[in-house]
Amino acid sequence: MNILVTGGAGYIGSHTCVSLLEAGHSVIVIDNLNNSNLETLEKVKQLTNKDLTFYQMDATNEAAIDQVFLNHKIDGVIHFAGYKAVGESVKKPLEYYQNNLVSTMVLTSACQRHGVNRIVFSSSATVYGDNQVPFIETMNLLPTTNPYGESKTISERILTDAAKANTNFSIALLRYFNPVGAHESGLIGEAPNGIPNNLMPYVTQVAKGKREKLNVFGNDYPTVDGTGVRDYIHVMDLAEGHVAALENLTEGVHIYNLGSGKGTSVFELIHAFEEANGVTIPYEIVDRRLGDIAASYADVSKAKLELGWEAKRDIKAMCRDAWNFEKNYVEMTIAK
Ligand code: NAD
Ligand code: UDP
C-alpha cells in the first residue's frame, strides 16, 4: 500500500516508517520539521535500503495536503503530526488545540474528498484519565488534566463522528501507553529538546552524565513500591503495531490499546536500566508531579485478538536500546 505518514520524521513516526518499508509498503512523509530533523529520514532510508518521498509541509495546510493527495494514489494515512508536551500544553492551550485538532480535521476531510478510507490515528492512554487499571478500550473516558490530553479525546470524537457519517471509513484509534527505546541499530531514537519531561530520556541523560541525578516524583503512591507505575512499550513494537492495524483494518472505528500489558514502577525501571547497561543512576525522591496518576497499564487482549499483534520486547531490551541510542547520539539542530 501507499501510506501517507504525517509527522514521519518524529520519534514514533520514523520507527514506523522503518516497519512500513520493511513490510513492503511505500511511504510518503509529510512533516514541518518543527520537532524533528531530515537526517532521521536519511537514516530510515539507510536502515531499510529503501527510498521514501518527503514533503516539508504543515499538516494544517489544506491546499498543500490536497496537492499531496493529487500527486499520489494514497491507500492509507497514519497521522502522527502534533504537539505532545503535556506541561507546554497547559501554557499554550490554543497552539495545542490549533495544531492537534486542525491537522486531524484537515487530513480527515482530505481523505473524504479523495476517497481514502484507511486512517490510523495516534491517540494516547492519557484519554483514560485516572481510571481503574488495567485500562480497557470499553471504559468510559475520564477528563484528562491538560489540553494535550483533551486534544486526543476530541480528535478521537471527531474521527468517530466522521466514520458515522461516512461508512466507508476504516479508522484505528491507537492508544499508546509509554513508548520508549530506540531502533536496535541505535541510528534512530528519541531525542527530546531541552530538559526531558519523560522518565526514560531523563534516565539516559543521567547515565550519560548530562544530568546529575534523576528526580523521582513521589514514593507515596498506592503502588508496589510507592512510585508511579506505567506500561512501557518498545518503540519498535509500537511501530509494528501500526503496520498490523493498517493491514487488518475493517470498516468502522476500532480502538486499540498499544502497550505491553505490564506495569513497571519508576524504581523497577531504574533497576532494569542499571542491570541492562551496567551503569548507576543516582536519584532523589522529590514531591509528586502535578497531574500525575498512580498507575497506568493496558489490557492488551483486543489488539492481540483482532490485529494478531502483541509487544515482544521486554523492559531490559527497552533500556538497552534507549541507552544504545543515547550513547551514540550527537545533538542535531532542529529546523524551526
Ligand atoms: P514527535 O514530536 O517526535 O513527532 C511528531 C512529528 O510531527 C515531529 O516530527 C513534528 O515535526 C511533526 N509535526 C508537528 N506538528 C506538525 C504539523 N502541523 N505539520 C507537520 N508536521 C508536524 O512525537 P512522537 O513522540 O513521535 O509522537 C507522535 C504522535 O504520537 C503524536 O501525535 C503524539 O501526541 C502521539 N503520542 C506520543 C506519545 C509519546 O510518549 N511519545 C504517547 C502517546 C501518543
Ligand atoms: N517520572 C519521574 N521523574 C522524571 C520523569 C518521570 O519520577 O523525571 C515518573 C512519573 O511521575 C511517572 C513515570 O515516571 O510516574 C513516567 O513518567 P513519564 O512522564 O515518562 O510518562 P507519563 O507520566 O506521561 O505517563
Side-chain angles (χ1 to χ4, degrees), residues 232-282:
Y232 298 95
I233 173 167
H234 195 294
V235 67
M236 285 310 299
D237 277 325
L238 190 60
E240 288 160 13
H242 287 75
V243 178
L246 199 67
E247 291 178 349
N248 290 287
L249 255 184
T250 54
E251 280 159 17
V253 172
H254 307 276
I255 304 174
Y256 297 105
N257 285 341
L258 296 187
S260 70
K262 295 185 189 77
T264 302
S265 75
V266 177
F267 283 157
E268 285 168 343
L269 187 135
I270 295 173
H271 295 140
F273 193 94
E274 291 180 330
E275 214 180 296
N277 299 316
V279 294
T280 303
I281 304 297

Side-chain angles (χ1 to χ4, degrees), residues 61-71 106 109-110 113-114:
N61 182 339
E62 194 154 16
I65 296 285
D66 241 358
Q67 195 54 52
V68 175
F69 278 77
L70 289 172
N71 292 353
V106 162
S109 44
R113 273 196 305 282
H114 296 273

Side-chain angles (χ1 to χ4, degrees), residues 4 6 30-32 55-69 79 81 98-111 113-114:
L4 177 66
T6 76
I30 68 160
D31 200 302
N32 62 7
Y55 292 92
Q56 181 168 354
M57 68 166 62
D58 202 290
T60 63
N61 182 339
E62 194 154 16
I65 296 285
D66 241 358
Q67 195 54 52
V68 175
F69 278 77
H79 180 34
Q98 161 75 21
N99 199 32
N100 294 2
L101 299 184
V102 174
S103 62
T104 302
M105 289 191 285
V106 162
L107 213 65
T108 311
S109 44
C111 285
R113 273 196 305 282
H114 296 273

Side-chain angles (χ1 to χ4, degrees), residues 10-12 31-32 34-36 58-59 80 84 99 148 152:
Y11 173 46
I12 305 169
D31 200 302
N32 62 7
N34 165 281
N35 194 35
S36 52
D58 202 290
F80 291 107
K84 64 165 179 177
N99 199 32
Y148 166 73
K152 292 297 178 192

